[in-house]
Amino acid sequence: MTTIDDLRTTFFDECDELLVDLESNLARMEEGDADVINAVFRAVHSIKGGAGIFGYDGLVAFSHSFETVLDLMRQGALESSSAAVATLLTASDMLSDLVSSARSGAATESEGRAQCQTALERLAAGSGAGDAPHTSGSGAESFDDIAFTPVQSDHFESTERHTIIFRPAEHAFQEGRDPLEALRALGQIGEVEIAADLDGLPALPDLVVDQLHIGWRVVLETAAARDEVERVLEGLPFASIAFPDEPLPSSFSVDDKPEPGDPAPGPAPTEPPAKAGEDERANEPRGRDATQRSTARIDLEKIDRVVNIVGELVIAQAMLGQIAQGLPDESRGQIAQVLDEVLHHTRELKDSVMAMRAQPLRTVFQKMPRLVRELSLKTGKKVRLETVGEGTEVDRTIIERLSDPLTHIIRNSIDHGIESPEARIAAGKDGEGVVTLSAIHRGGRIVIEVRDDGRGIDRDKVLARARERGLAPANAALSEEEVNNLIFAPGFSTAATVSDISGRGVGMDVVRSNIQDLGGRIALHSQPGAGMTIQLALPLTLAVMDGMMVRAGEDVYVLPISAIVECLRPQRSDVHALIGTRGMLRLRGELVPLVYLAELLSAASEARELSQGVVIITESSQSGRLGLVVDDLLGHQQVVIKNIEDSYGVIPGIAAATILGDGKVAFILDADKLADLAAAGFSPVRGAASAGVFSALSH
Amino acid sequence: MPYAGALKVLIVDDQNSVRQMTRLSLEEFGVRNVYDSGDGASALKFAGSQPLDLIISDYNMPEMDGLALLRAVRAHPVVRRLPFILLTGRGDKELVIKAAQAGANNYLVKPFTAAALREKIEQVVGKLQ
């Protein structure tokens, strides 16, 4: 049973879609295209209408002011200048905020809202056309002076309307039967309206003159009861007569209904020609995008439940595989065959469920044109945004967390990368800079690139700044790549004055850690004078992860593959003792601190010997490279991520848990936090303050 | 006097939440045969294929708006006399006049209560039983 609360949810879902439409159309407003203005108006109007029905007065009042301005633009009384569009964009943000606060039940009154509404009202007043102030909650108005057409028939009182569909047999003429007989007979008991159904009419060459190809649909308005009508028809030589008057099984949506052999009348000659086209359009998908046609809204929780069950299934199946290993050979062969099949199906099931959670990146990409527009206005630079692959799908949890990093990267590109038009022309480039945002699936990951054709990274400037900030030693000889990567260092900013564009509180270091939190990697390529590309490689989902199973002491851990740079068995001679550390590994000229995983997580107390172990080089944003020493590598496996924070709280160095094939629980390591733990123990700078943490862990 | 339980009503609105709310209101006073459609073109097609007693259509819809649907219904050979109530925004007198001229049987301002909806329907089709 549908309740009002369900409908509220539906309404807010619609609002989300409308707001996305609004946003993308607003960005095209200045072109002054009537269709665009209409679409913008409609979106706001629909939000207002729904808000009224569900009693969100604040939302109604605000969208009313918004709508008034749009209405004036629609009528041509107000020009959609860039200043006006800027106000509308702010209003669209405010509308979006109001929708979210209505959804969460928070208070909707704020100073920003009042200001924005005043700005809208001023805009409307400026057009001179004026608008009656909105009075919410006033009683239904009535236009008594307007005369409406009274209902022309009184069939609610005394007559009944029957719809009768004739489909005479094709050979009716050959048997000397005349369908007109039936139509006349009906005409005698009431008023009839007849429309021919020409759907069965063949093309002219296929027409057989003595065959009846057409049918009729008759609407009969009569005082006679249904059985009387049937009696009239009984005497007629037509078998195929249907009364579709029976109420349809239950209430339903027209749009859900399967096509019932299409009993709709063909276009009759009296109809205006435009109608035929509209009739045909009914068969087409409604939206602009055919892929939107048959969709169902499913509560995310339900999908998540299926994801969890699939996870359990993967585990159960791995356990089954292990049990099968222990069976005698003859039965194992048979079971292995079936298991293979189960494996195949589980994988498909997993992929299908993950695909359900996937969404196109469009929702994130659509926010960017507006950002670029605002930035180019603010900076006075001319910038064009090109997007490629916005239909690429990725898990929605990732989409939700991509918006901020992408926004920042684009800000950064425009603020620091793209030059002013004059500088560009002087450098022999087009005055208009191009920022390209692209997405592609590659090797089970999604790769998103932000590319600009600006000046690229000014390495000297970056290096000077890094030295000034103490981020790079004054005498270190850094490679080009290392210099480029300095922009990801915490506390780095090359702009002499922090502009209000890039300086919104986050630096590229935050971008990098956001991406790493998602199990992704960020890479940067810069070509001085020609531009810069920032590439993000992200997993397609956060529910299943590629992990390396490692053994440390008695325990098995899983390390995310994305955190691993390389694995090696070092020579004894490559390890250098250094006081306060468990050794430094010389790796291609660079010293990497070694950390014994078993000691770090106090999994074993006896001292480890490096000669038996494997070193996994990991990289983290804060502490750089770390050599994690484990006892053995057990192999690469996809693991289902199980959250443990809810049950056990935060465990340092542990991100989550998973269940292995033998039913044992293994912890998934958090490479960044491990590095922090290690740093707390080893770093000569920070070690003193927090050495206690490390010793507590290692003993 | 039409019997509410037998009344066949088609709701046309591009917003699903509004359609469903209207449906709830209708059900509140006993209308059981409620159909709904998200756009004018399929509503017109449906009206031409099924017996109906009333269309309640929103005005503000993409492609074919409520007024265009009304005109198409009035030009349709079979359903041209079908009672039609247009849903409008507050204070849009011009639209109401246009609707009346195009042959609407009444109008109703959104948002509305179940009681207001019933009142309008009764003005159009007669007191409901």
Side-chain angles (χ1 to χ4, degrees):
Chain A
M1 186 66 207
T2 319
T3 66
I4 294 199
D5 280 342
D6 293 340
L7 293 184
R8 273 183 215 278
T9 311
T10 313
F11 165 64
F12 286 119
D13 287 348
E14 283 166 3
C15 281
D16 288 345
E17 284 170 17
L18 290 165
L19 285 167
V20 169
D21 277 359
L22 179 64
E23 180 91 42
S24 61
N25 282 319
L26 272 178
R28 296 168 48 209
M29 260 308 254
E30 266 177 84
E31 296 161 23
D33 182 345
D35 283 348
V36 172
I37 299 178
N38 271 328
V40 168
F41 174 83
R42 229 173 10 245
V44 176
H45 184 83
S46 293
I47 292 174
K48 177 183 133 179
I53 287 176
F54 293 100
Y56 298 112
D57 291 343
L59 195 52
V60 173
F62 184 81
S63 37
H64 180 77
S65 306
F66 198 165
E67 181 195 78
T68 306
V69 172
L70 293 168
D71 198 27
L72 292 169
M73 287 184 176
R74 206 162 62 140
Q75 293 162 10
L78 192 64
E79 201 191 331
S80 47
S81 64
S82 59
V85 172
T87 307
L88 295 181
L89 284 167
T90 321
S92 148
D93 284 346
M94 190 49 65
L95 189 61
S96 167
D97 288 352
L98 287 172
V99 167
S100 353
S101 48
R103 176 181 247 158
S104 62
T108 54
E109 282 308 322
S110 78
E111 208 177 296
R113 188 208 112 157
Q115 265 176 18
C116 189
Q117 198 166 340
T118 314
L120 286 170
E121 277 156 12
R122 208 173 298 135
L123 202 58
S127 78
D131 170 56
H134 174 70
T135 48
S136 70
S138 72
E141 63 206 314
S142 92
F143 303 131
D144 288 338
D145 48 330
I146 301 173
F148 283 97
T149 320
V151 171
Q152 287 178 2
S153 76
D154 55 353
H155 67 264
F156 295 106
E157 300 290 341
S158 59
T159 63
E160 279 204 61
R161 198 165 65 139
H162 303 280
T163 307
I164 303 157
I165 295 169
F166 284 92
R167 258 277 165 211
E170 278 200 344
H171 49 80
F173 286 145
Q174 291 152 353
E175 291 172 16
R177 294 167 177 177
D178 187 354
L180 270 182
E181 231 177 284
L183 301 178
R184 279 201 201 101
L186 287 171
Q188 279 165 5
I189 58 167
E191 198 180 322
V192 286
E193 284 182 16
I194 301 170
D197 174 5
L198 303 174
D199 281 359
L201 206 59
L204 200 55
D206 304 326
L207 197 74
V208 182
V209 283
D210 59 353
Q211 276 187 5
L212 191 54
H213 297 288
I214 56 174
W216 289 272
R217 144 184 217 82
V218 181
V219 176
L220 169 67
E221 225 157 272
T222 176
R226 163 77 178 266
D227 52 351
E228 272 180 72
V229 179
E230 276 175 33
R231 219 169 303 133
V232 173
L233 295 171
E234 243 168 53
L236 297 167
F238 296 100
S240 54
I241 293 173
F243 286 83
D245 277 37
E246 309 298 335
L248 294 163
S250 65
S251 299
F252 67 94
S253 289
V254 174
D255 308 336
D256 305 339
K257 200 177 87 145
E259 283 294 299
D262 198 5
T270 52
E271 288 173 74
K275 216 226 89 197
E278 273 149 8
D279 238 355
E280 278 161 24
R281 214 178 300 151
N283 284 330
E284 288 169 17
R286 257 186 290 142
R288 295 148 295 176
D289 188 351
T291 55
Q292 289 174 353
R293 177 148 53 164
S294 51
T295 56
R297 283 218 175 85
I298 300 172
D299 196 337
L300 254 193
E301 267 178 38
K302 288 184 186 162
I303 296 183
D304 286 347
R305 212 174 304 148
V306 181
V307 171
N308 271 334
I309 295 169
V310 172
E312 299 295 335
L313 199 61
V314 170
I315 292 160
Q317 172 218 298
M319 290 165 77
L320 209 55
Q322 290 216 336
I323 294 169
Q325 287 294 317
L327 290 176
D329 279 353
E330 62 273 24
S331 41
R332 194 172 64 202
Q334 277 177 314
I335 289 187
Q337 218 173 351
V338 181
L339 260 178
D340 262 2
E341 218 161 288
V342 175
L343 189 79
H344 175 73
H345 292 315
T346 335
R347 195 172 297 144
E348 251 177 36
L349 184 61
K350 190 195 81 197
D351 290 348
S352 317
V353 175
M354 293 305 168
M356 271 190 232
R357 288 181 51 96
Q359 279 187 336
L361 277 166
R362 190 171 290 115
T363 43
V364 181
F365 278 23
Q366 259 170 350
K367 296 181 183 164
M368 301 305 160
R370 161 161 181 205
L371 174 77
V372 170
R373 186 179 171 283
E374 280 181 354
L375 288 176
S376 62
L377 276 179
K378 265 189 200 148
T379 56
K381 297 173 182 176
K382 280 189 170 171
V383 190
R384 185 171 80 239
L385 178 75
E386 287 179 356
T387 53
V388 181
E390 53 189 358
T392 314
E393 291 194 330
V394 67
D395 195 275
R396 59 175 290 150
T397 44
I398 291 181
I399 290 190
E400 284 161 7
R401 289 158 69 180
L402 260 181
S403 180
D404 287 350
L406 277 183
T407 304
H408 194 80
I409 294 172
I410 291 178
R411 270 180 205 288
N412 198 69
S413 278
I414 296 177
D415 203 19
H416 303 304
I418 303 280
E419 312 91 328
S420 65
E422 303 78 47
R424 290 183 63 88
I425 290 163
K429 295 183 189 177
D430 193 310
E432 186 181 49
V434 180
V435 174
T436 311
L437 181 58
S438 67
I440 189 174
H441 277 161
R442 194 185 294 157
R445 293 176 84 83
I446 183 159
V447 177
I448 299 174
E449 277 187 359
V450 179
R451 190 167 61 240
D452 68 58
D453 65 348
R455 59 169 80 95
I457 289 184
D458 184 341
R459 296 199 177 102
D460 295 338
K461 207 165 147 194
V462 166
L463 195 56
R465 171 56 54 113
R467 286 188 174 139
E468 189 181 304
R469 305 239 155 175
L471 298 167
N475 52 358
L478 296 177
S479 69
E480 284 187 3
E481 192 191 340
E482 283 166 329
V483 175
N484 288 348
N485 280 319
L486 280 172
I487 71 161
F488 293 118
F492 184 86
S493 167
T494 48
T497 52
V498 177
S499 70
D500 82 315
I501 296 163
S502 290
R504 285 216 182 167
V506 299
M508 290 299 280
D509 59 316
V510 176
V511 171
R512 173 149 85 168
S513 64
N514 281 348
I515 297 300
Q516 284 173 340
D517 284 350
L518 290 170
R521 280 196 179 174
I522 187 162
L524 182 153
H525 310 282
S526 163
Q527 217 179 329
M532 176 173 80
T533 302
I534 289 186
Q535 192 183 63
L536 313 177
L538 293 157
L540 294 177
T541 170
L542 294 181
V544 177
M545 182 197 74
D546 274 314
M548 177 64 77
M549 311 227 296
V550 301
R551 189 172 60 79
E554 297 299 301
D555 298 314
V556 175
Y557 297 94
V558 179
L559 190 65
I561 291 276
S562 59
I564 300 177
V565 179
E566 62 179 299
C567 300
L568 58 140
R569 271 183 205 279
Q571 300 290 321
R572 187 78 242 173
S573 58
D574 289 337
V575 179
H576 302 268
L578 183 66
I579 293 171
T581 73
R582 289 286 275 118
M584 299 293 272
L585 173 69
R586 181 177 291 278
L587 182 66
R588 292 185 283 277
E590 184 191 352
L591 284 177
V592 179
L594 291 178
V595 173
Y596 289 74
L597 183 61
E599 292 175 8
L600 199 56
L601 298 171
S602 60
S605 53
E606 81 260 35
R608 300 270 126 196
E609 264 303 311
L610 180 65
S611 55
Q612 300 149 10
V614 180
V615 176
I616 301 175
I617 307 292
T618 67
E619 187 163 38
S620 81
S621 46
Q622 276 90 36
S623 321
R625 293 191 165 190
L626 185 74
L628 201 61
V629 185
V630 300
D631 294 337
D632 206 358
L633 295 183
L634 302 177
H636 162 218
Q637 194 180 327
Q638 282 215 326
V639 295
V640 180
I641 300 170
K642 301 270 175 194
N643 189 344
I644 51 170
E645 278 183 22
D646 294 347
S647 319
Y648 297 102
V650 179
I651 305 173
I654 305 294
T658 190
I659 301 173
L660 301 176
D662 57 7
K664 283 188 183 147
V665 173
F667 288 122
I668 299 174
L669 302 171
D670 181 333
D672 269 15
K673 300 282 159 51
L674 282 180
D676 288 353
L677 275 181
F682 296 127
S683 160
V685 184
R686 292 196 283 164
S690 44
V693 178
F694 178 67
S695 52
L697 273 160
S698 55
H699 296 295
Chain B
M1 198 178 285
Y3 173 55
L7 204 65
K8 295 183 268 294
V9 181
L10 174 63
I11 304 166
V12 192
D13 196 312
D14 58 328
Q15 259 181 298
N16 188 26
S17 56
V18 177
R19 291 202 297 273
Q20 301 310 323
M21 275 305 276
T22 313
R23 176 192 288 273
L24 284 185
S25 301
L26 286 168
E27 284 168 358
E28 211 169 284
F29 51 86
V31 179
R32 290 200 303 268
N33 299 311
V34 183
Y35 315 111
D36 64 65
S37 173
D39 67 296
S42 44
L44 185 65
K45 196 177 165 83
F46 181 78
S49 71
Q50 289 295 330
L52 283 175
D53 298 316
L54 176 63
I55 295 180
I56 300 174
S57 171
D58 187 30
Y59 167 67
N60 170 55
M61 293 186 291
E63 311 268 317
M64 187 186 218
D65 65 26
L67 208 53
L69 174 64
L70 170 63
R71 293 190 174 122
V73 165
R74 291 291 174 254
H76 195 282
V78 178
V79 296
R80 65 188 154 86
R81 294 200 204 157
L82 199 55
F84 196 109
I85 296 178
L86 189 71
L87 302 178
T88 70
R90 188 177 301 277
D92 199 344
K93 184 164 182 171
E94 223 170 277
L95 172 63
V96 176
I97 293 173
K98 271 193 217 161
Q101 285 165 350
N105 304 100
N106 220 320
Y107 77 101
L108 181 58
V109 173
K110 286 206 296 188
F112 47 80
T113 58
L117 180 63
R118 179 180 186 143
E119 197 188 314
K120 284 289 176 178
I121 292 178
E122 290 189 334
Q123 281 176 21
V124 171
V125 306
K127 198 108 186 105
L128 290 177
Q129 243 176 0

